[in-house]
Amino acid sequence: MTIAIGSDHNGVALKEALLQSALQGHTVRDFGVFTTESVDYPDIAFAVAHAVASGECERGILICGTGIGMAIAANKVRGIRAANCSDVYSAKMSRRDNDANILCLGGRVVGPGLAAEIVTVWLNEPFAGGRHARRLAKIHAQEESAQL
Ligand code: RB5
């Protein structure tokens, strides 16, 4: 699985920790950032979201201070279902029910151990389909009509 990852300055430490733990063995495209110099999280969110929406990468992981800004920005890109998760159960259900294709994490919210568990579960949980696919189709239809 090819994974796009990106963070702002508040997520760079957690990004590096995940690259050394849960993401070992995966093919990862790292969209930065690589220092703690202040940046604007939408710039990174859109780069990762477009890599996923275009099919270049199968999944994305975005990290800022809370994960909230990254999720808001990524969800503006057509075809993106970004879920901000701070616990393992939500991460699992974001895949099973919502087919989330981007996981957002808060570098100031979750520690590296919990984040690694969240990422591992999120990468491995399949989408359940069925009635959930019907619900996602309604969201997709709204997305299409909103962008006319
Ligand atoms: C800093 O820009 C901070 O707002 C960011 O890291 C993130 O927490 C946004 O949601």
Side-chain angles (χ1 to χ4, degrees):
M1 184 184 296
T2 307
I3 300 160
I5 193 166
S7 75
D8 74 355
H9 49 288
N10 287 327
V12 67
L14 183 55
K15 176 167 73 68
E16 294 309 317
L18 289 172
L19 289 170
Q20 300 305 320
S21 59
L23 295 174
Q24 286 282 311
H26 289 278
T27 305
V28 179
R29 178 145 182 230
D30 191 345
F31 285 82
V33 294
F34 302 100
T35 73
T36 54
E37 187 183 334
S38 183
V39 294
D40 296 335
Y41 61 81
D43 297 335
I44 312 299
F46 294 142
V48 167
H50 285 293
V52 174
S54 69
E56 178 193 333
C57 296
E58 289 161 82
R59 303 271 192 88
I61 297 173
L62 284 166
I63 311 164
C64 60
T66 59
I68 295 170
M70 287 295 198
I72 291 171
N75 277 318
K76 297 295 180 192
V77 175
R78 187 188 300 210
I80 292 304
R81 295 174 300 280
N84 187 26
C85 300
S86 305
D87 64 275
V88 171
Y89 177 75
S90 298
K92 180 182 271 213
M93 299 315 286
S94 81
R95 286 290 312 136
R96 195 184 290 181
D97 287 8
N98 312 115
D99 197 18
N101 51 13
I102 291 186
L103 172 68
C104 299
L105 296 165
R108 290 177 165 173
V109 179
V110 291
L114 175 57
E117 260 191 81
I118 289 171
V119 166
T120 299
V121 164
W122 187 78
L123 289 176
N124 288 303
E125 187 70 20
F127 176 47
R131 66 187 184 282
H132 301 294
R134 184 182 71 236
R135 292 160 186 166
L136 291 185
K138 292 185 178 185
I139 295 172
H140 183 61
Q142 169 61 27
E143 187 175 57
E144 290 300 304
S145 68
Q147 297 198 21
L148 284 177

